[in-house]
């Protein structure tokens, strides 16, 4: 038994914000942002919410997969920016699409979240508990950015990506995941403060903060080693892989990973230029764009890799 992706969908907010737009409200420039990151514009929510984009992405993925709400056993949303602490975004999706039979819950593994959700679904399938799942990465990161901090807010965007996965004869061939909580604070965001009058709140860090260079070093060493691990486990080499769909954090990270793996950058499709970094949503949005462009053909071997907050990372190699 393997876990196969049988449909994809995504949803981005309507509002496009270019680097030039940002340079009108803060001391930055298109040249600084695009040369260091590859990002030219991102979509940011106005009316949209994490749930509304997730619901739309789910409907598109189900239509693409040819499944109905009754077919869905499990819904997992990877997010750090659900609209509510409870109910979960996955429960909101369940209600909206009428997947009454499904079990629904959210997970937090930041930018690796979609990869972790894929692995959880795979474990459920292997144990025989469920057969069909809807898995998503969905974020409204613009809500947790400090818009006075130009070193972080220019990097991120909003959006949702979904995939329908099913127990099948082919699909996921190998998987690697890991966490390094000891380095967690290099990319951090505080939750709601405790306003209980009996408690003194010692923390004063409300929005996202990042040590960009530490995150960069982590990504360019951990991602190639994680990808090599899944390839070894699957008995494949980089030459066997048609595409490497990586978390879209920074074009320099992607170029460095390609160089370290000795693979042409042409095999690394990107959505970074028009999406920015959308944390858990990056990989499924990129996958949906590749799918809808007709890049993915049955039998192709694809590597997926996510990395980021936690710190966390997860890679998979799968047959399409
Ligand atoms: N516009 C203009 N200048 C900016 C700026 C912006 N948006 N953001 C920061 N700067 C300035 C800094 O203030 C600093 O100025 P100074 O030298 O006068 O102090 C200068 O640019 C260099 O800043 P620095 O942080 O050293 O830049 P960098 O070369 O490390 O690049 C990143 C910053 C964020 C692009 C880079 O560290 C990176 O890509 N890290 C990985 C981050 C990531 O991908 N995170 C998500 C992972 S899931």
């Amino acid at each position: 038994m393997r876990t196969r992706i049988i449909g994809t969908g995504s949803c981005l907010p309507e509002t496009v914000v270019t680097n030039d737009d940002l340079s009108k409200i803060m001391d930055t420039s298109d040249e600084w942002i695009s040369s260091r990151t590859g990002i030219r514009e991102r979509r940011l929510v106005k009316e949209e919410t994490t749930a509304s984009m997730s619901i739309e992405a789910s409907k598109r993925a189900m239509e693409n997969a040819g499944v109905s709400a009754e077919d869905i056993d499990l819904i997992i949303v990877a997010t750090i920016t659900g609209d509510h602490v409870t109910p979960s975004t996955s429960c909101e999706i369940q209600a909206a699409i009428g997947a009454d039979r499904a079990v629904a819950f959210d997970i937090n593994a930041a930018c690796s979240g979609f990869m972790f959700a894929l692995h959880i679904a795979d474990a459920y399938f292997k144990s025989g508990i469920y057969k069909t799942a809807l898995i998503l990465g969905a974020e409204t990161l613009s809500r947790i950015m400090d818009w006075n901090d130009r070193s972080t807010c220019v990097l991120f965007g909003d959006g949702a990506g979904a995939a329908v996965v099913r127990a099948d004869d082919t699909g996921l061939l190998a998987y690697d995941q890991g966490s390094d909580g000891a380095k967690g604070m290099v990319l951090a965001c505080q939750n709601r403060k405790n306003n209980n009058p009996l408690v003194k709140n010692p923390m004063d860090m409300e929005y996202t903060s990042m040590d960009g260079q530490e995150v960069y070093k982590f990504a360019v060493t951990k991602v190639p080693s994680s990808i090599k691990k899944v390839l070894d486990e699957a008995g494949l080499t980089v030459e066997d892989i048609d595409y490497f769909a990586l978390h879209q954090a920074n074009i320099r990270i992607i170029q460095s990973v390609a160089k370290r793996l000795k693979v042409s950058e042409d095999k690394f499709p990107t959505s970074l230029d028009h999406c920015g970094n959308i944390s858990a949503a990056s990989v499924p949005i990129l996958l949906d764009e590749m799918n809808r462009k007709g890049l993915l053909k049955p039998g192709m071997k694809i590597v997926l890799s996510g990395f980021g907050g936690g710190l966390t990372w997860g890679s998979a190699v799968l047959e399409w």
Side-chain angles (χ1 to χ4, degrees):
M1 196 296 306
R2 296 196 188 282
T3 294
R4 186 174 195 183
I5 297 177
I6 60 167
T8 62
S10 60
C11 177
L12 296 174
E14 271 185 26
T15 307
V16 177
V17 177
T18 65
N19 293 343
D20 285 335
D21 293 333
L22 291 179
S23 71
K24 289 176 194 141
I25 56 168
M26 64 186 76
D27 183 13
T28 191
S29 65
D30 177 50
E31 198 283 319
W32 194 96
I33 301 170
S34 59
S35 65
R36 279 172 181 76
T37 70
I39 300 165
R40 295 197 171 273
E41 59 186 44
R42 72 286 295 140
R43 303 287 189 98
L44 301 182
V45 292
K46 280 190 177 162
E47 301 300 321
E48 302 90 343
T49 63
T50 298
S52 74
M53 294 188 293
S54 299
I55 290 162
E56 193 52 43
S58 298
K59 288 178 180 168
R60 291 174 188 171
M62 286 163 59
E63 191 185 0
N64 186 244
V67 301
S68 63
E70 304 85 72
D71 298 323
I72 307 289
D73 301 313
L74 174 69
I75 304 172
I76 309 173
V77 177
T79 185
I80 55 170
T81 47
D83 304 319
H84 306 103
V85 176
T86 190
S88 62
T89 305
S90 48
C91 281
E92 294 188 79
I93 297 171
Q94 180 200 21
I97 66 174
D100 300 339
R101 285 195 319 102
V103 164
F105 58 89
D106 290 2
I107 60 162
N108 174 346
C111 308
S112 316
F114 180 80
M115 300 307 302
F116 280 40
L118 179 63
H119 205 201
I120 294 169
D122 185 59
Y124 272 122
F125 294 171
K126 284 205 168 83
S127 67
I129 297 176
Y130 302 125
K131 286 192 169 55
T132 306
L134 184 57
I135 57 172
L136 292 94
E139 305 287 6
T140 47
L141 297 175
S142 57
R143 292 190 296 120
I144 60 165
M145 288 302 134
D146 178 352
W147 287 94
N148 295 310
D149 177 9
R150 64 179 181 169
S151 68
T152 51
C153 69
V154 303
L155 305 174
F156 298 93
D158 300 331
V164 178
V165 291
R166 180 167 265 176
D168 206 329
D169 294 335
T170 188
L172 199 54
L173 304 175
Y175 190 91
D176 172 59
Q177 68 184 6
S179 309
D180 182 2
K183 295 211 183 84
M185 294 314 278
V186 302
L187 178 48
C189 181
Q190 193 189 335
N191 209 330
R192 193 173 292 206
K193 285 186 180 184
N194 186 347
N195 74 348
N196 173 354
L198 300 173
V199 174
K200 269 194 184 164
N201 189 336
M203 295 178 80
D204 191 25
M205 186 188 69
E206 287 185 48
Y207 292 101
T208 302
S209 64
M210 181 176 71
D211 180 339
Q213 288 172 9
E214 279 302 312
V215 176
Y216 186 91
K217 276 189 259 169
F218 151 73
V220 299
T221 50
K222 190 53 80 179
V223 176
S225 69
S226 178
I227 290 175
K228 280 184 191 151
K229 212 166 157 186
V230 289
L231 291 177
D232 283 351
E233 197 184 319
L236 298 170
T237 68
V238 286
E239 284 80 37
D240 297 314
I241 302 304
D242 295 284
Y243 290 111
F244 295 79
L246 266 51
H247 169 49
Q248 301 288 293
N250 182 311
I251 196 68
R252 288 180 171 176
I253 292 176
I254 294 170
Q255 288 165 340
S256 170
V257 172
K259 199 169 160 198
R260 283 168 197 240
L261 291 174
K262 300 190 176 63
V263 176
S264 160
E265 281 172 39
D266 297 346
K267 285 194 173 184
F268 288 72
T270 58
S271 58
L272 195 62
D273 57 336
H274 57 281
C275 286
N277 178 347
I278 321 182
S279 192
S282 280
V283 170
I285 289 173
L286 176 63
L287 203 56
D288 185 47
E289 289 189 358
M290 293 165 67
N291 191 16
R292 282 169 202 269
K293 280 181 196 156
L295 296 181
L296 303 172
K297 311 269 186 255
M300 275 186 167
K301 306 275 188 314
I302 320 286
V303 163
L304 307 179
S305 187
F307 53 89
L311 297 174
T312 56
W313 62 93
S315 303
V317 56
L318 52 89
E319 185 171 74
W320 191 254

